[in-house]
């Protein structure tokens, strides 16, 4: 089933590229910002920052744990470090340092994990980060963000500079459809309602927001009215928006490019259980690693496209 | 498969492996040619001369083990595996395609004969040392060979493993550093220099050998020397050229992780004729 949107979602730049550009802008305004990378600066786009501010760029080599430790020390020295790598390496190799050198003492380190999810494609599971949001959310004091497009990424990089405390920002490899209007505001703990609806709510983040919009439009054609929310702040969560969605639509689908067991869905479900329990369904990566393939093939094979959201919507409505 | 110590025969296999690497990565439209081409003689000398292994019996308990810790160089291993008969040759050009056993990085779910699934740099040496210890515990003759990237040895885990291996006397293990002087962002010396590399391994109680990593006789001699070395593991610092064999890829950081175009493939294959 080919799902077409009424207004074609325009493809923007990849969120990793939007991160690199926003970091340069932020670096022009704030001389305390430094960037760190672990031999992936061309892929994470910190290369843009390195070009403009060579003296404020720290190339750590292939040593992610050390990079996170260095970032913690830089932060203690008054700098605002942005440490970037593929999300799997930054989070997994740097996890103990994120826990004890950053989260626990509440140090002002920003970590940017690019190439998240399975939409990196051909490189395969060793480079795919499907557990990063769960791990990052498990760290007290951390703010965890997953922007859907270049507009959100741009705003959230600036918001992270302004925020005192550790932040994890998840970025993707492929170009991302633009789902937000240019003047949209974003904040830690916020969310954006992109479509209103009364029969169910679809809450997503990252690339799944665009899939949620496509799904909502397909459902609309069948006379089903779906609310679509971009829940870009995974921690803290916009509890009020979730509570409203549960109370007003009485059915929720959560969609994300992450393990269902530890991602956005379970966190939303906790709020729903604590406030207005209602039927829920989850679209995400099941308890498995993916494989090599094109991004689109993988998103389809692992159930992360609009028709999977539509199917989940039908299931949740049948349980309403 | 036919094993040989004849240098000319091994060189002929190496040339064919280079051609297959270029073809596979061109068809895949993504992948890592530079670090695959720099490790060709290392892999060919091991699989076709030095190692005890049997493609008809890939789980033979007494086999030697090979770990490509720098997993992004998978195409060199796939070409060698196919030539040995572990895997089908006619699927090499499906590299990186959905469902193909030749995954972007070595994946033991798809090819059970692979000793380890790699791709996250820094992990292979520890795994190899564990295999070497298991062979010692079971008093098996198996030896373990681990190929590391030079950029890869910036990872702290490599030096935890080096300290451990040197202390535990795993003389049935050889680490080969593919010292091609280039990593992803550029030249190793601009990013985080490694020298003196051999002395670092010696300081951790390893027997260290510097050699030309494209010289099959030098590699044969070094693997023999490692087998004679008792009480400590051996580190071979293989001085190599990234992109070796294809003029426009040699020493060119661009070809770390960029696939050749069809035109570039034709040019490369002409040079490798
Ligand atoms: C832990 C980890 N960090 C980063 C990467 C991304 N990466 C893939 S290849 C590479 C450079 C490797 O350089 P080197 O070890 O010198 O390999 P070679 O030159 O032999 O290709 C990097 C940084 C990775 N695969 N694993
Ligand atoms: Mg190298």
């Amino acid at each position: 089933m080919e799902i077409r949107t009424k207004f074609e979602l325009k493809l923007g730049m990849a969120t990793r590229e939007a991160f690199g550009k926003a970091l340069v802008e932020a670096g022009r305004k704030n001389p305390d910002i430094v960037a760190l990378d672990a031999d992936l600066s061309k892929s994470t786009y910190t290369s843009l920052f390195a070009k403009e501010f060579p003296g404020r760029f720290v190339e750590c080599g292939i040593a992610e744990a050390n990079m996170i430790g260095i970032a913690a020390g830089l932060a203690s020295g008054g700098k605002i470090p942005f440490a970037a790598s593929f999300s799997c390496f930054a989070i997994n190799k740097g996890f103990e340092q994120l826990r004890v050198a950053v989260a626990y003492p509440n140090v002002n380190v920003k970590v940017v994990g690019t190439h998240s999810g399975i939409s990196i494609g051909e490189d395969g599971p060793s480079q795919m980060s499907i557990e990063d949001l769960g791990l990052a959310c498990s760290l007290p004091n951390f703010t965890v963000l997953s922007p859907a497009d270049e507009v959100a990424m741009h705003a959230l990089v600036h918001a992270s500079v302004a925020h005192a405390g550790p932040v994890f920002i998840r970025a993707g490899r492929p170009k991302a459809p633009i789902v937000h209007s240019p003047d949209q505001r974003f904040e830690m703990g916020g969310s954006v309602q992109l479509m209103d609806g009364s029969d169910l709510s679809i809450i997503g983040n990252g690339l799944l927001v665009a899939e949620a919009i496509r799904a909502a439009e397909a459902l609309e054609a069948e006379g089903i009215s779906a609310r679509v929310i971009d829940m870009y702040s995974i921690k803290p969560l916009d509890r009020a928006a979730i509570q409203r969605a549960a109370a007003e639509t009485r059915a929720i689908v959560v969609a994300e490019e992450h393990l269902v067991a530890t991602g956005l869905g379970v966190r939303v479900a906790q709020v729903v259980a604590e406030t207005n329990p209602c039927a829920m369904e989850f679209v995400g990566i099941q308890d498995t690693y993916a494989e090599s393939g094109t991004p689109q093939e993988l998103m389809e094979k692992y159930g992360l496209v609009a028709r999977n959201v539509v199917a989940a919507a039908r299931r949740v409505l049948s349980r309403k | 498969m036919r094993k040989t110590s004849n240098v000319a025969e091994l060189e002929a296999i190496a040339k064919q492996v280079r051609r297959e690497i270029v073809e596979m990565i061109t068809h895949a439209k993504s992948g890592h040619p530079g670090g695959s081409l720099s490790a060709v003689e290392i892999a060919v000398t091991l699989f076709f001369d030095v190692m005890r292994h049997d493609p008809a019996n890939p789980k033979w308990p007494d086999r030697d083990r090979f770990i490509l810790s720098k997993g992004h160089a998978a195409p060199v291993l796939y070409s060698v595996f196919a030539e040995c008969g572990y895997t089908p040759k006619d699927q090499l050009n499906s590299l990186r395609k959905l469902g193909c056993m030749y995954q972007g990085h070595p994946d033991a779910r798809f090819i059970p004969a692979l000793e380890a699934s790699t791709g996250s740099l820094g992990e292979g040496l520890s795994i190899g040392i564990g295999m070497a210890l298991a062979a010692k515990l079971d008093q098996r003759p198996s030896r373990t060979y681990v190929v590391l990237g030079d950029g890869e040895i910036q990872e702290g885990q490599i030096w935890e493993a080096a300290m451990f291996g040197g202390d535990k006397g795993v003389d049935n293990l050889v680490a080969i550093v593919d010292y091609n002087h280039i990593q992803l962002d550029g030249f190793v010396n601009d990013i985080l220099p490694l020298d003196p590399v051999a002395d670092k391994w010696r300081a951790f109680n390893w027997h260290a050998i510097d050699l030309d990593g494209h010289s099959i006789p030098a590699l044969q001699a070094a693997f023999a020397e490692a087998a004679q070395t008792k009480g400590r593991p051996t580190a071979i610092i293989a001085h190599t050229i990234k992109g070796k064999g294809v003029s426009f890829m040699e020493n060119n950081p661009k070809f770390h992780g960029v696939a050749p175009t069809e035109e570039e493939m034709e040019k490369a294959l002409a040079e490798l004729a």
Side-chain angles (χ1 to χ4, degrees):
Chain A
M1 171 177 72
E2 170 82 354
I3 294 175
R4 305 207 125 267
T5 44
K6 270 189 305 200
F7 56 96
E8 202 57 44
L9 287 168
K10 218 181 106 224
L11 213 52
M13 65 178 103
T15 49
R16 60 181 167 130
E17 185 175 359
F19 152 67
K21 292 198 162 142
L23 191 64
V24 172
E25 260 179 42
R28 286 182 194 140
K29 289 191 214 140
N30 189 332
D32 285 332
I33 293 176
V34 294
L36 298 88
D37 209 297
D39 196 28
L40 279 164
S41 71
K42 289 181 205 149
S43 307
T44 64
Y45 282 94
T46 59
S47 55
L48 302 178
F49 189 96
K51 198 158 169 229
E52 183 152 340
F53 308 106
R56 285 152 60 190
F57 177 68
V58 186
E59 169 63 85
C60 297
I62 311 172
E64 297 80 7
N66 187 49
M67 173 174 75
I68 301 297
I70 304 271
L74 282 163
S76 302
K79 301 297 167 197
I80 305 174
F82 277 75
S85 181
F86 281 13
S87 199
C88 55
F89 306 134
I91 289 281
N92 295 299
K93 296 244 183 195
F95 195 70
E96 174 60 14
Q97 289 69 23
L98 288 170
R99 191 175 86 94
V100 178
V102 178
Y104 163 43
N106 198 12
V107 170
N108 193 25
V109 169
K110 321 298 174 189
V111 182
V112 180
T114 68
H115 295 66
S116 60
I118 63 173
S119 56
I120 71 162
E122 292 80 359
D123 272 341
S126 68
Q127 326 284 303
M128 290 170 171
S129 198
I130 56 174
E131 53 285 88
D132 51 353
L133 292 177
L135 288 166
C137 284
S138 71
L139 296 167
N141 291 325
F142 254 85
T143 295
V144 179
L145 306 169
S146 178
D149 67 5
E150 60 180 55
V151 181
M153 176 58 91
H154 179 267
L156 289 169
V157 168
H158 290 286
S160 300
V161 174
H163 173 85
V167 178
F168 172 70
I169 308 177
R170 190 184 210 227
R173 175 174 185 255
K175 290 190 188 335
I178 298 178
V179 297
H180 292 293
S181 57
D183 53 355
Q184 178 63 50
R185 294 174 60 83
F186 297 85
E187 61 192 348
M188 294 4 194
S191 70
V192 178
Q193 184 175 306
L194 291 162
M195 293 171 69
D196 198 8
S198 51
D199 294 326
L200 82 153
S201 300
I202 307 172
I203 299 177
N205 66 23
L207 290 178
L208 269 291
V209 175
E211 298 304 317
I213 293 172
R214 293 186 178 113
E217 292 187 342
L219 290 164
E220 196 181 289
E222 299 175 20
I224 297 167
S225 153
R227 176 179 299 185
V228 175
I229 302 173
D230 175 6
M231 195 63 60
Y232 60 81
S233 179
I234 323 299
K235 190 185 164 195
L237 270 179
D238 188 347
R239 291 178 66 92
I242 297 169
Q243 192 172 347
R244 268 198 313 276
E248 292 167 13
T249 68
R250 308 297 308 140
I252 294 178
V253 171
V254 184
E256 57 187 324
E257 190 186 351
H258 189 279
L259 290 176
V260 280
T262 60
L264 173 66
V266 291
R267 297 179 63 77
V268 171
Q270 184 183 358
V271 176
V272 171
E274 287 168 356
T275 55
N276 298 82
C278 68
M280 289 186 71
E281 288 285 335
F282 304 90
V283 173
I285 301 164
Q286 302 304 316
D287 193 23
T288 185
Y289 293 104
E291 63 196 287
S292 295
T294 66
Q296 189 58 32
E297 283 170 344
L298 295 176
M299 295 297 271
E300 299 206 1
K301 175 160 180 184
Y302 290 87
L304 303 178
V305 293
R307 70 166 173 278
N308 306 109
V309 180
V310 169
R314 293 210 181 94
R315 287 198 304 273
V316 85
L317 289 173
S318 74
R319 292 171 48 211
K320 202 167 162 178
Chain B
M1 68 168 293
R2 211 176 80 76
K3 289 189 56 179
T4 176
S5 300
N6 181 296
V7 174
E9 282 183 47
L10 291 167
E11 280 171 350
I13 299 174
K15 184 175 270 189
Q16 185 193 318
V17 167
R18 285 205 160 84
R19 294 173 60 85
E20 286 176 357
I21 289 170
V22 169
E23 286 180 300
M24 289 169 83
I25 299 177
T26 306
H27 283 104
K29 298 191 174 69
S30 71
H32 301 82
S36 302
L37 292 168
S38 61
V40 169
E41 281 79 11
I42 297 165
V44 166
T45 305
L46 282 170
F47 276 90
F48 294 96
D49 181 14
V50 175
M51 284 190 347
R52 289 156 47 89
H53 67 118
D54 178 7
N57 187 9
K59 294 292 166 193
W60 178 30
D62 282 353
R63 72 190 181 281
D64 289 347
R65 268 57 169 188
F66 178 90
I67 297 177
L68 185 66
S69 188
K70 41 169 258 182
H72 58 278
V76 66
L77 183 53
Y78 293 157
S79 169
V80 164
F81 254 43
E83 183 63 30
C84 286
Y86 283 107
T87 51
K89 238 185 208 237
D90 59 0
Q91 290 176 34
L92 282 175
N93 288 341
S94 305
L95 175 73
R96 293 179 156 242
K97 300 238 170 14
L98 187 72
C100 178
M101 70 167 68
Y102 299 120
Q103 293 276 296
H105 290 76
D107 189 330
R109 298 175 306 172
F110 287 80
I111 304 179
L114 288 166
E115 304 289 356
S117 296
T118 51
S120 178
L121 295 168
E123 301 192 14
L125 187 55
S126 305
I127 299 170
I129 291 174
M131 290 176 179
L133 281 180
K136 280 197 180 283
L137 284 170
D138 288 349
Q139 296 178 325
R140 293 189 188 279
S142 305
R143 296 178 60 73
T144 299
Y145 298 89
V146 182
V147 175
L148 305 166
D150 49 359
E152 181 183 14
I153 70 170
Q154 292 162 345
E155 283 285 357
Q157 187 184 347
I158 294 294
W159 300 101
E160 296 180 20
M163 187 179 294
F164 179 92
D167 178 62
K168 298 294 177 279
V170 278
D171 51 14
N172 52 349
L173 177 127
V174 181
I176 303 107
V177 179
D178 184 353
Y179 199 7
N180 60 27
H181 296 271
I182 295 176
Q183 50 193 109
L184 191 145
D185 271 344
F187 291 95
V188 175
N189 276 344
D190 296 332
I191 290 169
L192 192 58
L194 306 169
D195 283 335
V197 185
D199 286 345
K200 286 192 169 80
W201 292 89
R202 287 190 189 110
F204 284 83
N205 198 35
W206 289 55
H207 178 55
I209 304 169
D210 276 291
L211 52 68
D212 171 357
H214 300 304
S215 163
I216 288 172
L219 286 162
Q220 289 171 318
F223 289 126
E225 187 177 316
Q228 297 307 314
T229 302
K230 297 296 166 209
R232 14 186 215 153
T234 294
I236 294 176
I237 315 304
H239 295 260
T240 57
I241 294 170
K242 199 151 175 167
K244 172 76 176 174
V246 180
S247 59
F248 57 91
M249 291 188 186
E250 286 194 0
N251 260 317
N252 181 355
K254 179 190 153 189
F255 282 101
H256 164 76
V258 172
T261 62
E262 295 274 338
E263 274 178 357
E264 285 168 336
M265 175 179 80
E266 294 308 333
K267 223 180 129 198
L269 292 179
E271 290 183 20
L272 293 167

